[in-house]
Amino acid sequence: MSLIRIQDLKVYYTGHGLFRKQSVTKAVDGVSLFVNDHETLGLVGESGSGKSTLGRAALLLIKPTAGSILFDGVDMMNAAVHKNRPAMKKFRREAQIVFQDPYGSLNPRMKVGKIISDPLRVHGVRGRKVLKEKALRLLELVGLPASAYDTYPYAFSGGQRQRISIARALSIGPRFIVADEPVSSLDISIQAQLLNLFKEIQEKEGVSYLFISHDLRTVAFIAHRVAVMYLGRIMELAQTKELITGPLHPYTKLLLSSIPSKDRRTTEQKEQTNGHEHGCVFYPRCGLAKDICMDISPDLKEVSPGHSVACHLY
Ligand code: SF4
């Protein structure tokens, strides 16, 4: 059984577009995916593809418009609506997030020891000695010295701060972590260290990740499977090696190409695409589009075992 299974998840926002016309932005538009125990699912796409919104919605940090989220077999949207406290408490403990910004996500007025042990306190762990022991173990796990316990975050580099964020996320023994662009603000050499740390932690603690990044190569390094997202939808999903060596969707090919992938649509075109109910969302950028692509949105179809693609070419 999958640890987390998202079915037809939608996150829609209403607002006002050009000429104060009411518009609906489909940040996440009918996404279905799952993450197994001890697995890393990479989620890749350009900025504005909806991947961070999907990550937050999966943790119910954003209220989804529709769909379902099964965590360990329990319908969490149902649990939230019916105020099922035991189920929600378990979910809040077992599903955590690591944010992109290692500077803004740590309270500068708290020492690292308190930052790491606070979630434990919130979840009912008592006793100063116990809390300190657990915090020191976590510091060791993420490769920071014990002296960090009594130090404020400002004394640390970006990479070290991200290690503190990881320790905080791990403190209450999660089974699932949404890692939202956790290395993209760091230098390349530090990125590699952090990615290796995520892998080591998975081996030691058995945690699963939804690993979000705009960089397909970063995701390819860490993920077992990769989902490619564009304008709120999954374009392709496959085992990492298969996706890298044999991409099918024109958008995945674009992400993999050495040409910087620029979205050349104007704001007006983007609004039109968002409001375009029927056709393929990638149509305005696709060099292989056919007539059908303008009118009918392709479903995500399995074309070989474990490899799905949303494109009329397949
Ligand atoms: Fe291109 Fe058509 Fe495939 Fe969309 S469905 S990616 S427009 S070929």
Side-chain angles (χ1 to χ4, degrees), residues 40-45 51 179 181-183 191 195 199 210-228 238-241 243-244 255:
T40 300
L41 175 67
L43 183 62
V44 73
K51 50 194 192 310
E181 301 263 15
V183 300
Q191 285 188 12
L195 290 174
K199 280 188 170 186
L210 177 65
F211 196 97
I212 299 171
S213 176
H214 64 279
D215 182 2
L216 188 44
R217 285 169 185 86
T218 299
V219 162
F221 179 76
I222 195 162
H224 299 102
R225 291 182 298 130
V226 177
V228 178
Q239 294 287 335
T240 305
K241 196 172 169 201
L243 190 103
I244 299 298
L255 285 180

PDB file of all heavy atoms in Angstrom, residues 40-45 51 179 181-183 191 195 199 210-228 238-241 243-244 255:
ATOM      1  N   THR A  40      11.382   7.997  -2.885  1.00  0.00           N
ATOM      2  CA  THR A  40      11.430   9.428  -3.215  1.00  0.00           C
ATOM      3  C   THR A  40      10.765   9.628  -4.573  1.00  0.00           C
ATOM      4  O   THR A  40      11.206   9.059  -5.574  1.00  0.00           O
ATOM      5  CB  THR A  40      12.882   9.941  -3.291  1.00  0.00           C
ATOM      6  OG1 THR A  40      13.504   9.731  -2.029  1.00  0.00           O
ATOM      7  CG2 THR A  40      12.927  11.430  -3.630  1.00  0.00           C
ATOM      8  N   LEU A  41       9.708  10.426  -4.549  1.00  0.00           N
ATOM      9  CA  LEU A  41       9.089  10.826  -5.811  1.00  0.00           C
ATOM     10  C   LEU A  41       9.529  12.261  -6.085  1.00  0.00           C
ATOM     11  O   LEU A  41       9.280  13.161  -5.275  1.00  0.00           O
ATOM     12  CB  LEU A  41       7.553  10.762  -5.714  1.00  0.00           C
ATOM     13  CG  LEU A  41       6.828  11.281  -6.966  1.00  0.00           C
ATOM     14  CD1 LEU A  41       7.065  10.378  -8.167  1.00  0.00           C
ATOM     15  CD2 LEU A  41       5.328  11.428  -6.712  1.00  0.00           C
ATOM     16  N   GLY A  42      10.217  12.475  -7.189  1.00  0.00           N
ATOM     17  CA  GLY A  42      10.616  13.822  -7.579  1.00  0.00           C
ATOM     18  C   GLY A  42       9.460  14.506  -8.293  1.00  0.00           C
ATOM     19  O   GLY A  42       8.732  13.863  -9.059  1.00  0.00           O
ATOM     20  N   LEU A  43       9.298  15.792  -8.030  1.00  0.00           N
ATOM     21  CA  LEU A  43       8.264  16.568  -8.712  1.00  0.00           C
ATOM     22  C   LEU A  43       8.960  17.765  -9.330  1.00  0.00           C
ATOM     23  O   LEU A  43       9.510  18.609  -8.616  1.00  0.00           O
ATOM     24  CB  LEU A  43       7.195  17.015  -7.697  1.00  0.00           C
ATOM     25  CG  LEU A  43       6.001  17.782  -8.251  1.00  0.00           C
ATOM     26  CD1 LEU A  43       5.214  16.937  -9.245  1.00  0.00           C
ATOM     27  CD2 LEU A  43       5.080  18.226  -7.106  1.00  0.00           C
ATOM     28  N   VAL A  44       8.965  17.806 -10.645  1.00  0.00           N
ATOM     29  CA  VAL A  44       9.772  18.816 -11.326  1.00  0.00           C
ATOM     30  C   VAL A  44       8.910  19.649 -12.261  1.00  0.00           C
ATOM     31  O   VAL A  44       7.909  19.165 -12.811  1.00  0.00           O
ATOM     32  CB  VAL A  44      10.944  18.125 -12.082  1.00  0.00           C
ATOM     33  CG1 VAL A  44      10.469  17.402 -13.315  1.00  0.00           C
ATOM     34  CG2 VAL A  44      12.028  19.110 -12.452  1.00  0.00           C
ATOM     35  N   GLY A  45       9.291  20.896 -12.423  1.00  0.00           N
ATOM     36  CA  GLY A  45       8.567  21.795 -13.328  1.00  0.00           C
ATOM     37  C   GLY A  45       9.098  23.201 -13.132  1.00  0.00           C
ATOM     38  O   GLY A  45       9.777  23.488 -12.141  1.00  0.00           O
ATOM     39  N   LYS A  51       3.848  23.131  -8.475  1.00  0.00           N
ATOM     40  CA  LYS A  51       4.417  22.022  -7.694  1.00  0.00           C
ATOM     41  C   LYS A  51       4.461  22.338  -6.196  1.00  0.00           C
ATOM     42  O   LYS A  51       4.165  21.461  -5.380  1.00  0.00           O
ATOM     43  CB  LYS A  51       5.785  21.584  -8.245  1.00  0.00           C
ATOM     44  CG  LYS A  51       6.773  22.698  -8.459  1.00  0.00           C
ATOM     45  CD  LYS A  51       7.936  22.240  -9.312  1.00  0.00           C
ATOM     46  CE  LYS A  51       9.066  23.256  -9.285  1.00  0.00           C
ATOM     47  NZ  LYS A  51       8.691  24.654  -9.560  1.00  0.00           N
ATOM     48  N   ALA A 179       9.877  17.996   0.531  1.00  0.00           N
ATOM     49  CA  ALA A 179      11.079  18.831   0.486  1.00  0.00           C
ATOM     50  C   ALA A 179      10.885  19.797  -0.683  1.00  0.00           C
ATOM     51  O   ALA A 179      10.962  19.400  -1.850  1.00  0.00           O
ATOM     52  CB  ALA A 179      12.311  17.958   0.290  1.00  0.00           C
ATOM     53  N   GLU A 181      12.009  22.495  -2.890  1.00  0.00           N
ATOM     54  CA  GLU A 181      13.208  23.175  -3.412  1.00  0.00           C
ATOM     55  C   GLU A 181      14.229  23.360  -2.291  1.00  0.00           C
ATOM     56  O   GLU A 181      14.747  24.472  -2.097  1.00  0.00           O
ATOM     57  CB  GLU A 181      12.837  24.553  -4.003  1.00  0.00           C
ATOM     58  CG  GLU A 181      11.838  24.515  -5.122  1.00  0.00           C
ATOM     59  CD  GLU A 181      12.469  24.542  -6.510  1.00  0.00           C
ATOM     60  OE1 GLU A 181      13.689  24.303  -6.608  1.00  0.00           O
ATOM     61  OE2 GLU A 181      11.735  24.768  -7.475  1.00  0.00           O
ATOM     62  N   PRO A 182      14.569  22.302  -1.545  1.00  0.00           N
ATOM     63  CA  PRO A 182      15.391  22.489  -0.352  1.00  0.00           C
ATOM     64  C   PRO A 182      16.843  22.850  -0.631  1.00  0.00           C
ATOM     65  O   PRO A 182      17.548  23.267   0.292  1.00  0.00           O
ATOM     66  CB  PRO A 182      15.311  21.123   0.341  1.00  0.00           C
ATOM     67  CG  PRO A 182      15.081  20.159  -0.762  1.00  0.00           C
ATOM     68  CD  PRO A 182      14.239  20.883  -1.768  1.00  0.00           C
ATOM     69  N   VAL A 183      17.306  22.684  -1.868  1.00  0.00           N
ATOM     70  CA  VAL A 183      18.723  22.993  -2.130  1.00  0.00           C
ATOM     71  C   VAL A 183      18.900  24.114  -3.148  1.00  0.00           C
ATOM     72  O   VAL A 183      20.024  24.527  -3.414  1.00  0.00           O
ATOM     73  CB  VAL A 183      19.501  21.732  -2.601  1.00  0.00           C
ATOM     74  CG1 VAL A 183      19.459  20.632  -1.554  1.00  0.00           C
ATOM     75  CG2 VAL A 183      18.993  21.217  -3.937  1.00  0.00           C
ATOM     76  N   GLN A 191      24.858  21.967  -2.441  1.00  0.00           N
ATOM     77  CA  GLN A 191      23.676  21.217  -2.900  1.00  0.00           C
ATOM     78  C   GLN A 191      23.955  19.723  -2.892  1.00  0.00           C
ATOM     79  O   GLN A 191      23.160  18.924  -2.401  1.00  0.00           O
ATOM     80  CB  GLN A 191      23.303  21.623  -4.329  1.00  0.00           C
ATOM     81  CG  GLN A 191      22.635  22.965  -4.428  1.00  0.00           C
ATOM     82  CD  GLN A 191      22.107  23.231  -5.833  1.00  0.00           C
ATOM     83  OE1 GLN A 191      22.045  22.343  -6.668  1.00  0.00           O
ATOM     84  NE2 GLN A 191      21.727  24.462  -6.079  1.00  0.00           N
ATOM     85  N   LEU A 195      21.962  16.875  -0.819  1.00  0.00           N
ATOM     86  CA  LEU A 195      21.250  15.777  -1.495  1.00  0.00           C
ATOM     87  C   LEU A 195      21.708  14.433  -0.944  1.00  0.00           C
ATOM     88  O   LEU A 195      20.904  13.535  -0.703  1.00  0.00           O
ATOM     89  CB  LEU A 195      21.485  15.845  -3.010  1.00  0.00           C
ATOM     90  CG  LEU A 195      20.805  17.015  -3.730  1.00  0.00           C
ATOM     91  CD1 LEU A 195      21.233  17.058  -5.185  1.00  0.00           C
ATOM     92  CD2 LEU A 195      19.293  16.930  -3.630  1.00  0.00           C
ATOM     93  N   LYS A 199      19.562  11.463   1.147  1.00  0.00           N
ATOM     94  CA  LYS A 199      19.635  10.022   0.839  1.00  0.00           C
ATOM     95  C   LYS A 199      20.015   9.209   2.081  1.00  0.00           C
ATOM     96  O   LYS A 199      19.423   8.174   2.365  1.00  0.00           O
ATOM     97  CB  LYS A 199      20.670   9.769  -0.259  1.00  0.00           C
ATOM     98  CG  LYS A 199      20.164  10.048  -1.661  1.00  0.00           C
ATOM     99  CD  LYS A 199      21.207   9.582  -2.664  1.00  0.00           C
ATOM    100  CE  LYS A 199      20.690   9.608  -4.067  1.00  0.00           C
ATOM    101  NZ  LYS A 199      21.608   9.046  -5.035  1.00  0.00           N
ATOM    102  N   LEU A 210       8.513  13.598  -1.021  1.00  0.00           N
ATOM    103  CA  LEU A 210       8.078  14.228  -2.265  1.00  0.00           C
ATOM    104  C   LEU A 210       9.088  15.353  -2.462  1.00  0.00           C
ATOM    105  O   LEU A 210       9.074  16.338  -1.715  1.00  0.00           O
ATOM    106  CB  LEU A 210       6.650  14.784  -2.155  1.00  0.00           C
ATOM    107  CG  LEU A 210       6.155  15.521  -3.398  1.00  0.00           C
ATOM    108  CD1 LEU A 210       6.037  14.561  -4.582  1.00  0.00           C
ATOM    109  CD2 LEU A 210       4.808  16.189  -3.150  1.00  0.00           C
ATOM    110  N   PHE A 211      10.001  15.179  -3.408  1.00  0.00           N
ATOM    111  CA  PHE A 211      11.128  16.096  -3.551  1.00  0.00           C
ATOM    112  C   PHE A 211      10.864  17.038  -4.727  1.00  0.00           C
ATOM    113  O   PHE A 211      10.865  16.621  -5.889  1.00  0.00           O
ATOM    114  CB  PHE A 211      12.419  15.301  -3.774  1.00  0.00           C
ATOM    115  CG  PHE A 211      13.653  16.118  -3.559  1.00  0.00           C
ATOM    116  CD1 PHE A 211      14.331  16.079  -2.356  1.00  0.00           C
ATOM    117  CD2 PHE A 211      14.128  16.947  -4.561  1.00  0.00           C
ATOM    118  CE1 PHE A 211      15.461  16.852  -2.151  1.00  0.00           C
ATOM    119  CE2 PHE A 211      15.253  17.730  -4.364  1.00  0.00           C
ATOM    120  CZ  PHE A 211      15.927  17.672  -3.157  1.00  0.00           C
ATOM    121  N   ILE A 212      10.627  18.306  -4.405  1.00  0.00           N
ATOM    122  CA  ILE A 212      10.216  19.283  -5.411  1.00  0.00           C
ATOM    123  C   ILE A 212      11.413  20.102  -5.883  1.00  0.00           C
ATOM    124  O   ILE A 212      12.193  20.601  -5.061  1.00  0.00           O
ATOM    125  CB  ILE A 212       9.148  20.234  -4.807  1.00  0.00           C
ATOM    126  CG1 ILE A 212       7.914  19.437  -4.390  1.00  0.00           C
ATOM    127  CG2 ILE A 212       8.792  21.344  -5.785  1.00  0.00           C
ATOM    128  CD1 ILE A 212       6.896  20.250  -3.589  1.00  0.00           C
ATOM    129  N   SER A 213      11.560  20.245  -7.187  1.00  0.00           N
ATOM    130  CA  SER A 213      12.639  21.084  -7.715  1.00  0.00           C
ATOM    131  C   SER A 213      12.293  21.553  -9.127  1.00  0.00           C
ATOM    132  O   SER A 213      11.555  20.892  -9.846  1.00  0.00           O
ATOM    133  CB  SER A 213      13.950  20.298  -7.747  1.00  0.00           C
ATOM    134  OG  SER A 213      14.974  21.074  -8.334  1.00  0.00           O
ATOM    135  N   HIS A 214      12.859  22.715  -9.501  1.00  0.00           N
ATOM    136  CA  HIS A 214      12.694  23.166 -10.886  1.00  0.00           C
ATOM    137  C   HIS A 214      13.764  22.515 -11.765  1.00  0.00           C
ATOM    138  O   HIS A 214      13.716  22.629 -12.985  1.00  0.00           O
ATOM    139  CB  HIS A 214      12.818  24.699 -10.962  1.00  0.00           C
ATOM    140  CG  HIS A 214      14.184  25.173 -10.575  1.00  0.00           C
ATOM    141  ND1 HIS A 214      14.570  25.318  -9.256  1.00  0.00           N
ATOM    142  CD2 HIS A 214      15.270  25.496 -11.321  1.00  0.00           C
ATOM    143  CE1 HIS A 214      15.824  25.719  -9.217  1.00  0.00           C
ATOM    144  NE2 HIS A 214      16.278  25.832 -10.459  1.00  0.00           N
ATOM    145  N   ASP A 215      14.727  21.835 -11.137  1.00  0.00           N
ATOM    146  CA  ASP A 215      15.882  21.312 -11.861  1.00  0.00           C
ATOM    147  C   ASP A 215      15.776  19.789 -11.994  1.00  0.00           C
ATOM    148  O   ASP A 215      15.920  19.050 -11.018  1.00  0.00           O
ATOM    149  CB  ASP A 215      17.146  21.711 -11.088  1.00  0.00           C
ATOM    150  CG  ASP A 215      18.409  21.247 -11.801  1.00  0.00           C
ATOM    151  OD1 ASP A 215      18.289  20.664 -12.898  1.00  0.00           O
ATOM    152  OD2 ASP A 215      19.503  21.453 -11.257  1.00  0.00           O
ATOM    153  N   LEU A 216      15.555  19.346 -13.207  1.00  0.00           N
ATOM    154  CA  LEU A 216      15.367  17.915 -13.455  1.00  0.00           C
ATOM    155  C   LEU A 216      16.609  17.104 -13.071  1.00  0.00           C
ATOM    156  O   LEU A 216      16.514  15.976 -12.594  1.00  0.00           O
ATOM    157  CB  LEU A 216      15.004  17.700 -14.929  1.00  0.00           C
ATOM    158  CG  LEU A 216      14.573  16.316 -15.381  1.00  0.00           C
ATOM    159  CD1 LEU A 216      13.605  15.653 -14.422  1.00  0.00           C
ATOM    160  CD2 LEU A 216      13.947  16.386 -16.766  1.00  0.00           C
ATOM    161  N   ARG A 217      17.780  17.704 -13.225  1.00  0.00           N
ATOM    162  CA  ARG A 217      18.998  16.954 -12.903  1.00  0.00           C
ATOM    163  C   ARG A 217      19.116  16.736 -11.393  1.00  0.00           C
ATOM    164  O   ARG A 217      19.566  15.671 -10.947  1.00  0.00           O
ATOM    165  CB  ARG A 217      20.223  17.680 -13.466  1.00  0.00           C
ATOM    166  CG  ARG A 217      20.318  17.509 -14.980  1.00  0.00           C
ATOM    167  CD  ARG A 217      21.351  18.400 -15.634  1.00  0.00           C
ATOM    168  NE  ARG A 217      21.292  18.252 -17.086  1.00  0.00           N
ATOM    169  CZ  ARG A 217      20.484  18.934 -17.880  1.00  0.00           C
ATOM    170  NH1 ARG A 217      19.651  19.825 -17.363  1.00  0.00           N
ATOM    171  NH2 ARG A 217      20.488  18.747 -19.183  1.00  0.00           N
ATOM    172  N   THR A 218      18.713  17.729 -10.608  1.00  0.00           N
ATOM    173  CA  THR A 218      18.716  17.579  -9.146  1.00  0.00           C
ATOM    174  C   THR A 218      17.774  16.460  -8.738  1.00  0.00           C
ATOM    175  O   THR A 218      18.113  15.580  -7.945  1.00  0.00           O
ATOM    176  CB  THR A 218      18.252  18.904  -8.473  1.00  0.00           C
ATOM    177  OG1 THR A 218      19.159  19.921  -8.823  1.00  0.00           O
ATOM    178  CG2 THR A 218      18.174  18.779  -6.966  1.00  0.00           C
ATOM    179  N   VAL A 219      16.579  16.502  -9.297  1.00  0.00           N
ATOM    180  CA  VAL A 219      15.568  15.497  -8.972  1.00  0.00           C
ATOM    181  C   VAL A 219      16.049  14.106  -9.405  1.00  0.00           C
ATOM    182  O   VAL A 219      15.884  13.118  -8.685  1.00  0.00           O
ATOM    183  CB  VAL A 219      14.230  15.879  -9.655  1.00  0.00           C
ATOM    184  CG1 VAL A 219      13.302  14.697  -9.718  1.00  0.00           C
ATOM    185  CG2 VAL A 219      13.576  17.021  -8.900  1.00  0.00           C
ATOM    186  N   ALA A 220      16.698  14.049 -10.585  1.00  0.00           N
ATOM    187  CA  ALA A 220      17.162  12.756 -11.103  1.00  0.00           C
ATOM    188  C   ALA A 220      18.188  12.124 -10.169  1.00  0.00           C
ATOM    189  O   ALA A 220      18.285  10.907 -10.066  1.00  0.00           O
ATOM    190  CB  ALA A 220      17.760  12.936 -12.492  1.00  0.00           C
ATOM    191  N   PHE A 221      18.953  12.956  -9.469  1.00  0.00           N
ATOM    192  CA  PHE A 221      19.988  12.440  -8.570  1.00  0.00           C
ATOM    193  C   PHE A 221      19.373  11.743  -7.359  1.00  0.00           C
ATOM    194  O   PHE A 221      19.924  10.772  -6.849  1.00  0.00           O
ATOM    195  CB  PHE A 221      20.888  13.605  -8.110  1.00  0.00           C
ATOM    196  CG  PHE A 221      21.969  13.181  -7.168  1.00  0.00           C
ATOM    197  CD1 PHE A 221      23.101  12.518  -7.639  1.00  0.00           C
ATOM    198  CD2 PHE A 221      21.860  13.417  -5.801  1.00  0.00           C
ATOM    199  CE1 PHE A 221      24.093  12.111  -6.770  1.00  0.00           C
ATOM    200  CE2 PHE A 221      22.854  13.002  -4.921  1.00  0.00           C
ATOM    201  CZ  PHE A 221      23.974  12.351  -5.408  1.00  0.00           C
ATOM    202  N   ILE A 222      18.236  12.236  -6.922  1.00  0.00           N
ATOM    203  CA  ILE A 222      17.705  11.759  -5.632  1.00  0.00           C
ATOM    204  C   ILE A 222      16.457  10.879  -5.751  1.00  0.00           C
ATOM    205  O   ILE A 222      16.187  10.062  -4.867  1.00  0.00           O
ATOM    206  CB  ILE A 222      17.429  12.973  -4.697  1.00  0.00           C
ATOM    207  CG1 ILE A 222      17.236  12.477  -3.265  1.00  0.00           C
ATOM    208  CG2 ILE A 222      16.274  13.831  -5.155  1.00  0.00           C
ATOM    209  CD1 ILE A 222      17.388  13.535  -2.235  1.00  0.00           C
ATOM    210  N   ALA A 223      15.710  11.020  -6.850  1.00  0.00           N
ATOM    211  CA  ALA A 223      14.377  10.393  -6.879  1.00  0.00           C
ATOM    212  C   ALA A 223      14.390   9.001  -7.504  1.00  0.00           C
ATOM    213  O   ALA A 223      15.167   8.726  -8.426  1.00  0.00           O
ATOM    214  CB  ALA A 223      13.422  11.286  -7.655  1.00  0.00           C
ATOM    215  N   HIS A 224      13.508   8.140  -7.000  1.00  0.00           N
ATOM    216  CA  HIS A 224      13.307   6.829  -7.618  1.00  0.00           C
ATOM    217  C   HIS A 224      12.406   6.961  -8.848  1.00  0.00           C
ATOM    218  O   HIS A 224      12.616   6.312  -9.856  1.00  0.00           O
ATOM    219  CB  HIS A 224      12.644   5.867  -6.613  1.00  0.00           C
ATOM    220  CG  HIS A 224      13.483   5.648  -5.397  1.00  0.00           C
ATOM    221  ND1 HIS A 224      13.232   6.277  -4.194  1.00  0.00           N
ATOM    222  CD2 HIS A 224      14.591   4.903  -5.209  1.00  0.00           C
ATOM    223  CE1 HIS A 224      14.130   5.895  -3.311  1.00  0.00           C
ATOM    224  NE2 HIS A 224      14.977   5.068  -3.891  1.00  0.00           N
ATOM    225  N   ARG A 225      11.364   7.796  -8.712  1.00  0.00           N
ATOM    226  CA  ARG A 225      10.473   8.096  -9.834  1.00  0.00           C
ATOM    227  C   ARG A 225      10.353   9.610  -9.935  1.00  0.00           C
ATOM    228  O   ARG A 225      10.570  10.327  -8.953  1.00  0.00           O
ATOM    229  CB  ARG A 225       9.075   7.497  -9.605  1.00  0.00           C
ATOM    230  CG  ARG A 225       9.033   5.973  -9.662  1.00  0.00           C
ATOM    231  CD  ARG A 225       7.594   5.464  -9.472  1.00  0.00           C
ATOM    232  NE  ARG A 225       7.063   5.840  -8.181  1.00  0.00           N
ATOM    233  CZ  ARG A 225       5.886   6.431  -7.990  1.00  0.00           C
ATOM    234  NH1 ARG A 225       5.102   6.701  -9.011  1.00  0.00           N
ATOM    235  NH2 ARG A 225       5.479   6.748  -6.778  1.00  0.00           N
ATOM    236  N   VAL A 226       9.980  10.082 -11.110  1.00  0.00           N
ATOM    237  CA  VAL A 226       9.845  11.531 -11.327  1.00  0.00           C
ATOM    238  C   VAL A 226       8.500  11.841 -11.983  1.00  0.00           C
ATOM    239  O   VAL A 226       8.098  11.162 -12.940  1.00  0.00           O
ATOM    240  CB  VAL A 226      10.986  12.080 -12.224  1.00  0.00           C
ATOM    241  CG1 VAL A 226      10.785  13.570 -12.489  1.00  0.00           C
ATOM    242  CG2 VAL A 226      12.348  11.847 -11.591  1.00  0.00           C
ATOM    243  N   ALA A 227       7.819  12.851 -11.450  1.00  0.00           N
ATOM    244  CA  ALA A 227       6.606  13.376 -12.081  1.00  0.00           C
ATOM    245  C   ALA A 227       6.937  14.771 -12.621  1.00  0.00           C
ATOM    246  O   ALA A 227       7.526  15.595 -11.912  1.00  0.00           O
ATOM    247  CB  ALA A 227       5.471  13.464 -11.065  1.00  0.00           C
ATOM    248  N   VAL A 228       6.581  15.019 -13.873  1.00  0.00           N
ATOM    249  CA  VAL A 228       6.850  16.321 -14.502  1.00  0.00           C
ATOM    250  C   VAL A 228       5.540  17.101 -14.529  1.00  0.00           C
ATOM    251  O   VAL A 228       4.526  16.608 -15.042  1.00  0.00           O
ATOM    252  CB  VAL A 228       7.392  16.134 -15.936  1.00  0.00           C
ATOM    253  CG1 VAL A 228       7.619  17.477 -16.603  1.00  0.00           C
ATOM    254  CG2 VAL A 228       8.676  15.320 -15.918  1.00  0.00           C
ATOM    255  N   ALA A 238       7.442   8.621 -14.542  1.00  0.00           N
ATOM    256  CA  ALA A 238       8.150   7.372 -14.860  1.00  0.00           C
ATOM    257  C   ALA A 238       9.255   7.129 -13.851  1.00  0.00           C
ATOM    258  O   ALA A 238       9.602   8.020 -13.051  1.00  0.00           O
ATOM    259  CB  ALA A 238       8.750   7.462 -16.270  1.00  0.00           C
ATOM    260  N   GLN A 239       9.817   5.919 -13.903  1.00  0.00           N
ATOM    261  CA  GLN A 239      11.037   5.645 -13.147  1.00  0.00           C
ATOM    262  C   GLN A 239      12.087   6.648 -13.626  1.00  0.00           C
ATOM    263  O   GLN A 239      12.146   6.963 -14.823  1.00  0.00           O
ATOM    264  CB  GLN A 239      11.529   4.220 -13.428  1.00  0.00           C
ATOM    265  CG  GLN A 239      10.602   3.124 -12.939  1.00  0.00           C
ATOM    266  CD  GLN A 239      10.615   2.960 -11.428  1.00  0.00           C
ATOM    267  OE1 GLN A 239      11.598   3.302 -10.772  1.00  0.00           O
ATOM    268  NE2 GLN A 239       9.526   2.472 -10.887  1.00  0.00           N
ATOM    269  N   THR A 240      12.942   7.094 -12.709  1.00  0.00           N
ATOM    270  CA  THR A 240      13.874   8.179 -13.038  1.00  0.00           C
ATOM    271  C   THR A 240      14.730   7.870 -14.276  1.00  0.00           C
ATOM    272  O   THR A 240      14.817   8.684 -15.195  1.00  0.00           O
ATOM    273  CB  THR A 240      14.790   8.463 -11.830  1.00  0.00           C
ATOM    274  OG1 THR A 240      13.946   8.734 -10.718  1.00  0.00           O
ATOM    275  CG2 THR A 240      15.702   9.643 -12.079  1.00  0.00           C
ATOM    276  N   LYS A 241      15.320   6.663 -14.277  1.00  0.00           N
ATOM    277  CA  LYS A 241      16.238   6.330 -15.379  1.00  0.00           C
ATOM    278  C   LYS A 241      15.489   6.354 -16.714  1.00  0.00           C
ATOM    279  O   LYS A 241      15.984   6.878 -17.720  1.00  0.00           O
ATOM    280  CB  LYS A 241      16.845   4.946 -15.120  1.00  0.00           C
ATOM    281  CG  LYS A 241      18.058   4.697 -15.962  1.00  0.00           C
ATOM    282  CD  LYS A 241      18.756   3.423 -15.549  1.00  0.00           C
ATOM    283  CE  LYS A 241      19.805   3.091 -16.605  1.00  0.00           C
ATOM    284  NZ  LYS A 241      20.177   1.704 -16.573  1.00  0.00           N
ATOM    285  N   LEU A 243      12.797   8.027 -17.445  1.00  0.00           N
ATOM    286  CA  LEU A 243      12.411   9.389 -17.830  1.00  0.00           C
ATOM    287  C   LEU A 243      13.594  10.162 -18.423  1.00  0.00           C
ATOM    288  O   LEU A 243      13.449  10.930 -19.376  1.00  0.00           O
ATOM    289  CB  LEU A 243      11.852  10.145 -16.610  1.00  0.00           C
ATOM    290  CG  LEU A 243      11.212  11.470 -16.980  1.00  0.00           C
ATOM    291  CD1 LEU A 243       9.695  11.335 -16.974  1.00  0.00           C
ATOM    292  CD2 LEU A 243      11.618  12.585 -16.041  1.00  0.00           C
ATOM    293  N   ILE A 244      14.764   9.938 -17.838  1.00  0.00           N
ATOM    294  CA  ILE A 244      15.950  10.671 -18.296  1.00  0.00           C
ATOM    295  C   ILE A 244      16.449  10.132 -19.645  1.00  0.00           C
ATOM    296  O   ILE A 244      16.831  10.883 -20.526  1.00  0.00           O
ATOM    297  CB  ILE A 244      17.091  10.576 -17.236  1.00  0.00           C
ATOM    298  CG1 ILE A 244      16.636  11.199 -15.905  1.00  0.00           C
ATOM    299  CG2 ILE A 244      18.371  11.234 -17.721  1.00  0.00           C
ATOM    300  CD1 ILE A 244      16.285  12.658 -15.961  1.00  0.00           C
ATOM    301  N   LEU A 255      12.680  20.320 -20.870  1.00  0.00           N
ATOM    302  CA  LEU A 255      13.374  20.468 -19.585  1.00  0.00           C
ATOM    303  C   LEU A 255      14.762  19.821 -19.629  1.00  0.00           C
ATOM    304  O   LEU A 255      15.696  20.295 -18.988  1.00  0.00           O
ATOM    305  CB  LEU A 255      12.570  19.818 -18.457  1.00  0.00           C
ATOM    306  CG  LEU A 255      11.322  20.537 -17.946  1.00  0.00           C
ATOM    307  CD1 LEU A 255      10.674  19.724 -16.839  1.00  0.00           C
ATOM    308  CD2 LEU A 255      11.646  21.933 -17.441  1.00  0.00           C
TER     309      LEU A 255
END
